[in-house]
Amino acid sequence: MDDDMMTREDADEKLVNDAFQRLLDTYLASRHRKKVDIITKAFNFARQAHKGVRRLSGEPYIMHPIAVAQIACGEVGLGSTSICAALLHDVVEDTDYTCEDLANIFGPKIAQIVDGLTKISGGIFGEQASAQAENFKKLLLTMSEDIRVILIKICDRLHNMRTLESQPANKQYKIAGETLYIYAPLANRLGLYKIKSELENLSFQYEHPETYNSIKEKLRTTEASRHELFDQFTAPIEDALKQMGIKYEIKERIKSPYSIWTKMQNKHVSFEEIYDILAVRIIFTPEKREEEINECFNIYVAISKIYKSHPDRLRDWISHPKANGYQALHVTLMSKQGRWIEVQIRSDRMDEIAEQGFAAHWKYKEGEEAEEYSEDENELNDWLRTIKEILDDPQPDAMDFLDAIKLNLFASEIFVFTPKGEIKTMPTGCTALDFAFSIHTFLGSHCIGAKVNHKLVPLSHKLESGDQVEILTSKSQHVQPAWINFVSTAKAKAKIQAVLRRESREKQKKGEGILDDFLAKNGFEKTPVAIDQLAVYHEAASREAFFQGLGDKSILLGEKDVDELNGKNNADGKKGWRKMIPFLGRNKQKRGSDADKQELFIVPEKFNRKKPIYISEETITQYKFRHCCHPIPGDDILGYIDNKHQIEIHKRACPVADKLKSGFGNRILDAKWNMHKKLFFDATIRLQGIDRIGMLMDVSRIISSQMNVNIHKLTIGSDDGLFDGSVELRVHDRDDVKAIIDQLKTIEGLQDVQQIM
């Protein structure tokens, strides 16, 4: 027995030492200063601190910090300070050591980063949504003190995703959902494109395993034809580049399974209909660094002589880099096989920044210590500043806060000019009002309109790249509640909500003062009962709404209110209270309906949340099916334990489920279908195509006779030779829907067939 234990310990020792040696080798091959001693010291400290602890997969716990440090060094390009912080990132949380201990041993910088990582540990999210928002604020505030905190946190999440297999399914959905909702967009915003893609694909793999495997298999089977297309397409380009004497490398870029699936969902197309699975990347090394931009355009001119370029698909990210630092020239060319192929032209420096993000900038800083965080990443600092401004106004709803942040994370950019010709980067779809708030809160609050390219436009006017915008203001203008409906940036939304909340509080306070004076003047005591009685009398939805009505003069108090309080508004003196009865009646009714729903499954306290729940013909009525996504058998689904301890069923890709996975991960359950084509479910299919005589007959014949499915409702409209319609069907499962769509696609003139959620 001792020999076996010894063998296992020896194997663990070798595993850990090999992993650490690999980390050191990666570090020594980098351009950073060679501070091996402090890294070895951090490793030995962490190894001792985590001694005897194992991960769910069974390996020694220290393997996780080593792996995070390996990603930080090898894949993000960070140096010794970050490597030490990555090795130590779980020490404070999991052991008795404090940040002061680390500061004494390793210095204040490493301790500060570990402290930042400890604050945001355990997934960003707590039990409650409000706690989640607070933790998220902590993350962003910490991040804005030292960018390395968030970079290491992303490395930590990437390793957790790579080892997600050992977790139970409900945890997998929670962690994958959180990754897609927060970490992938963060990685993208920081320019970590490679890591962002891997996070998305790993999340997709665990949430939709069958679809993921199906796309992987299709990519595998079409690989040979793609290689052939690539070789034929690039041969003349290579000849041209050699003649120009350029040192280059040409790479094949294949769209990731997640990107393919997203496009299939958004465009309602099949795998075979996606044409941009293949892209070509030309990476060149310029002789002089200052010539790299000219070289990009020289290559573009040369390849445009070989193939015809698409005029609308030239993307110049060189003159105007993306906010995450990405630079490249994208051009779409028509191949000899009749396929449009995107070519991305970038220098070796641009390629490294595209792969490693802002961390790669440090490698190109002359005369600076590569390890030190440089302050000149202006775009990133602007983003952090925006987030700090949002954090300045506390938001009562945590999910609103997260959504506001996500608006900024996902935004693609346009370039807008101020009247003085300065360039401002704004998100696509932003309005003149967004632009006003981006410059200054005062400008936004008092904005009455704008001049875009010297023409007068309203606040809601959507801006386009290249617009010159002048904001017009008036001191008499105030923030309007309707503004929230047409701004799109997080900053504008946050500022408008803050102003409206402040004004609302002021009106309520004023209203409360008016009520106090009225009651005192008429000899009544201010009691909750009296306030509620008057609120109901004036049909206000709540006390707050009643106070606000008094404050903005939409509710006026008078003699009738005195009579109401004295009970004189009705012969039996009960009118006010009778007006309250509908509320009571509604509550009774609600209680009755809850009684009718006793068959719903109530989750007991000691319920095993790691095991899947199975939905069969017998158990289906025990669960709630929400209207947000209409799951039917065959869909990838999950369960969510709501506040009443009942279980809601959602599609895993449902937007509502995305929020639940992020905010309430501990309530997520794995759910599976166990149906046998006995029950029917509603499904809607949309049809579009070229109208002709007999089209409707063909559609109904295929659905009714060939497929033996009942048409519940059929709506079709024809306009100018084109028709657009929808068919509501009663089906058993997702396979029925797929079979019907495949059959409908064979009808002549039918251009587009897709299922509506």
Side-chain angles (χ1 to χ4, degrees):
M1 183 67 187
D2 285 348
D3 285 347
D4 288 345
M5 285 296 290
M6 202 64 182
T7 309
R8 187 178 184 187
E9 278 180 22
D10 289 347
D12 284 352
E13 185 88 4
K14 185 176 184 322
L15 186 73
V16 171
N17 287 338
D18 288 351
F20 180 62
Q21 190 55 51
R22 182 168 158 251
L23 171 63
L24 281 183
D25 293 344
T26 308
Y27 173 66
L28 289 168
S30 73
R31 303 189 199 185
H32 291 290
R33 287 174 296 153
K34 309 299 178 246
K35 291 184 172 179
V36 174
D37 292 351
I38 195 163
I39 293 174
T40 309
K41 188 176 168 185
F43 163 66
N44 288 326
F45 187 91
R47 178 191 235 174
Q48 193 57 40
H50 295 301
K51 198 171 185 180
V53 182
R54 293 186 180 276
R55 297 190 86 210
L56 277 180
S57 57
E59 67 180 15
Y61 191 87
I62 187 66
M63 290 297 287
H64 169 63
I66 295 172
V68 174
Q70 179 71 41
I71 294 167
C73 180
E75 296 179 52
V76 183
L78 298 171
S80 62
T81 304
S82 304
I83 293 168
C84 291
L87 287 167
L88 299 164
H89 79 272
D90 279 333
V91 166
V92 174
E93 191 186 355
D94 296 345
T95 71
D96 293 333
Y97 288 106
T98 64
C99 283
E100 287 79 50
D101 297 333
L102 295 186
N104 292 332
I105 302 165
F106 298 100
K109 195 72 202 164
I110 290 171
Q112 184 199 349
I113 296 172
V114 172
D115 184 41
L117 288 160
T118 305
K119 280 179 188 166
I120 56 174
S121 62
I124 293 175
F125 308 100
E127 294 286 300
Q128 302 301 320
S130 57
Q132 163 200 324
E134 283 311 308
N135 288 336
F136 195 60
K137 285 181 186 180
K138 272 186 205 164
L139 178 144
L140 292 161
L141 283 168
T142 314
M143 168 184 173
S144 48
E145 280 162 24
D146 194 315
I147 192 70
R148 287 174 287 198
V149 170
I150 197 64
L151 290 169
I152 297 165
K153 189 64 191 170
I154 288 170
C155 298
D156 179 38
R157 175 50 58 117
L158 179 58
H159 185 245
N160 284 337
M161 287 302 295
R162 285 175 179 172
T163 54
L164 198 56
E165 207 170 341
S166 53
Q167 293 279 1
N170 63 323
K171 271 283 178 66
Q172 288 175 350
Y173 304 151
K174 178 242 184 208
I175 294 167
E178 198 176 88
T179 300
L180 273 183
Y181 195 73
I182 300 297
Y183 289 98
L186 261 179
N188 184 48
R189 196 63 172 80
L190 295 168
L192 304 168
Y193 182 74
K194 208 172 175 185
I195 288 178
K196 167 237 180 197
S197 289
E198 190 178 346
L199 288 173
E200 287 174 342
N201 280 315
L202 286 166
S203 299
F204 175 42
Q205 181 183 339
Y206 284 103
E207 291 215 279
H208 305 282
E210 287 177 18
T211 316
Y212 174 82
N213 291 329
S214 155
I215 291 173
K216 285 283 280 186
E217 179 59 25
K218 283 175 179 170
L219 281 171
R220 194 188 62 75
T221 54
T222 54
E223 193 173 8
S225 62
R226 261 199 322 275
H227 285 329
E228 190 182 340
L229 174 63
F230 175 79
D231 292 341
Q232 289 172 357
F233 180 75
T234 55
I237 293 176
E238 294 213 41
D239 292 340
L241 294 173
K242 280 171 189 165
Q243 281 175 16
M244 292 166 75
I246 291 170
K247 189 180 170 190
Y248 71 91
E249 186 186 359
I250 293 188
K251 287 183 184 173
E252 203 176 348
R253 188 234 59 185
I254 308 301
K255 214 173 181 63
S256 70
Y258 177 77
S259 299
I260 291 169
W261 178 71
T262 307
K263 193 155 193 175
M264 285 165 68
Q265 299 295 304
N266 293 342
K267 304 270 185 193
H268 302 286
V269 292
S270 65
F271 178 90
E272 291 69 27
E273 292 170 284
I274 295 175
Y275 286 106
D276 61 346
I277 286 173
L278 170 71
V280 172
R281 206 168 266 168
I282 300 172
I283 301 157
F284 67 91
T285 307
E287 286 184 17
K288 293 178 183 170
R289 190 59 59 201
E290 61 269 18
E291 288 176 5
E292 65 179 357
I293 291 178
N294 289 340
E295 202 74 285
C296 279
F297 285 99
N298 291 340
I299 293 170
Y300 164 56
V301 170
I303 62 177
S304 297
K305 288 175 184 171
I306 303 168
Y307 297 110
K308 183 171 173 49
S309 65
H310 194 301
D312 298 331
R313 289 204 207 156
L314 176 66
R315 297 284 180 270
D316 176 8
W317 300 115
I318 289 178
S319 311
H320 301 294
K322 287 188 180 183
N324 61 15
Y326 179 83
Q327 274 186 295
L329 191 62
H330 291 195
V331 55
T332 304
L333 303 172
M334 175 56 79
S335 69
K336 299 283 191 280
Q337 290 78 13
R339 295 266 297 271
W340 287 108
I341 294 178
E342 184 180 75
V343 179
Q344 301 168 357
I345 306 164
R346 52 170 87 150
S347 70
D348 53 350
R349 181 191 68 86
M350 294 171 189
D351 185 59
E352 206 162 356
I353 288 169
E355 296 292 305
Q356 293 191 337
F358 274 99
H361 279 290
W362 302 333
K363 295 186 180 182
Y364 296 94
K365 298 279 170 267
E366 295 301 323
E368 288 181 20
E369 291 293 4
E371 179 65 18
E372 290 306 314
Y373 165 48
S374 141
E375 287 295 330
D376 68 358
E377 276 85 33
N378 293 324
E379 291 285 5
L380 184 64
N381 288 332
D382 284 347
W383 183 63
L384 295 172
R385 210 171 295 116
T386 300
I387 285 171
K388 277 198 155 182
E389 284 186 21
I390 294 168
L391 295 172
D392 288 342
D393 288 306
Q395 298 222 0
D397 188 330
M399 286 324 254
D400 280 356
F401 170 76
L402 270 184
D403 284 343
I405 294 294
K406 270 172 65 69
L407 279 173
N408 266 33
L409 292 180
F410 279 131
S412 52
E413 297 100 359
I414 59 169
F415 302 99
V416 182
F417 295 91
T418 67
K420 290 180 181 174
E422 294 167 21
I423 291 184
K424 289 272 179 190
T425 306
M426 296 291 293
T428 303
C430 73
T431 60
L433 189 57
D434 284 307
F435 181 74
F437 274 106
S438 78
I439 294 170
H440 198 280
T441 306
F442 179 86
L443 211 61
S445 302
H446 297 281
C447 179
I448 52 169
K451 280 186 178 177
V452 173
N453 306 326
H454 311 293
K455 286 181 187 170
L456 203 60
V457 296
L459 301 176
S460 56
H461 176 83
K462 286 198 173 177
L463 302 178
E464 292 179 6
S465 221
D467 282 347
Q468 188 169 26
V469 188
E470 181 188 349
I471 299 300
L472 307 173
T473 60
S474 163
K475 284 184 179 175
S476 61
Q477 176 70 296
H478 294 289
V479 172
Q480 308 295 317
W483 287 6
I484 207 82
N485 300 322
F486 57 76
V487 291
S488 65
T489 57
K491 182 176 178 180
K493 273 190 193 299
K495 292 294 178 192
I496 291 167
Q497 282 169 337
V499 172
L500 291 174
R501 277 199 303 275
R502 190 170 63 244
E503 286 180 356
S504 175
R505 282 196 298 272
E506 284 169 6
K507 280 178 187 168
Q508 283 180 35
K509 210 168 181 184
K510 191 177 173 186
E512 212 168 335
I514 291 169
L515 180 67
D516 289 348
D517 293 346
F518 173 79
L519 293 173
K521 183 182 165 188
N522 291 287
F524 293 110
E525 194 183 337
K526 185 185 177 184
T527 63
V529 173
I531 297 168
D532 287 343
Q533 192 176 347
L534 290 176
V536 170
Y537 180 69
H538 286 281
E539 297 180 355
S542 64
R543 284 184 197 174
E544 289 75 18
F546 175 55
F547 289 141
Q548 190 154 343
L550 290 171
D552 62 20
K553 302 285 195 297
S554 60
I555 294 175
L556 298 170
L557 299 174
E559 283 302 315
K560 287 188 176 178
D561 296 281
V562 175
D563 292 344
E564 176 65 28
L565 290 168
N566 284 325
K568 292 178 183 173
N569 273 340
N570 199 31
D572 57 6
K574 297 283 185 192
K575 182 176 177 189
W577 297 107
R578 193 174 294 139
K579 283 184 86 167
M580 292 176 88
I581 288 172
F583 291 110
L584 297 172
R586 269 206 291 276
N587 288 340
K588 272 186 190 165
Q589 200 178 340
K590 199 171 177 185
R591 278 199 292 275
S593 66
D594 280 350
D596 296 340
K597 286 184 183 174
Q598 280 308 307
E599 75 273 9
L600 282 172
F601 177 67
I602 304 294
V603 177
E605 204 167 309
K606 291 188 177 175
F607 185 69
N608 185 350
R609 299 184 183 202
K610 291 182 182 178
K611 281 190 175 177
I613 53 170
Y614 287 91
I615 301 172
S616 64
E617 283 82 359
E618 291 73 35
T619 62
I620 196 163
T621 54
Q622 295 180 8
Y623 306 110
K624 295 177 177 178
F625 285 79
R626 294 294 184 206
H627 296 298
C628 48
C629 57
H630 295 293
I632 67 172
D635 285 328
D636 291 332
I637 53 168
L638 52 75
Y640 165 69
I641 303 170
D642 67 13
N643 293 333
K644 293 180 180 175
H645 305 288
Q646 294 162 352
I647 297 174
E648 293 179 10
I649 304 296
H650 293 270
K651 285 184 186 175
R652 286 179 213 158
C654 162
V656 173
D658 278 347
K659 288 191 178 187
L660 297 174
K661 283 178 283 194
S662 301
F664 306 95
N666 58 318
R667 299 195 201 173
I668 299 295
L669 303 172
D670 184 16
K672 298 189 185 305
W673 298 104
N674 182 24
M675 307 295 280
H676 308 89
K677 290 190 179 281
K678 291 179 185 173
L679 299 180
F680 285 98
F681 298 83
D682 290 327
T684 305
I685 292 174
R686 188 176 178 196
L687 311 164
Q688 290 174 301
I690 298 154
D691 203 5
R692 60 172 170 79
I693 295 168
M695 175 63 83
L696 194 58
M697 196 166 70
D698 288 349
V699 169
S700 54
R701 178 177 50 79
I702 278 186
I703 295 172
S704 302
S705 53
Q706 274 184 257
M707 306 302 296
N708 200 20
V709 170
N710 286 330
I711 297 177
H712 190 56
K713 186 180 177 186
L714 179 60
T715 316
I716 284 195
S718 180
D719 183 26
D720 234 2
L722 302 174
F723 79 88
D724 191 338
S726 64
V727 192
E728 287 181 26
L729 310 168
R730 309 281 284 158
V731 295
H732 290 301
D733 52 30
R734 177 70 53 224
D735 289 344
D736 283 1
V737 178
K738 189 180 181 308
I740 292 164
I741 288 175
D742 289 346
Q743 282 290 322
L744 288 171
K745 281 183 176 176
T746 63
I747 296 174
E748 184 199 338
L750 209 54
Q751 301 289 321
D752 189 22
V753 187
Q754 61 191 23
Q755 194 207 344
I756 300 169
M757 235 187 176

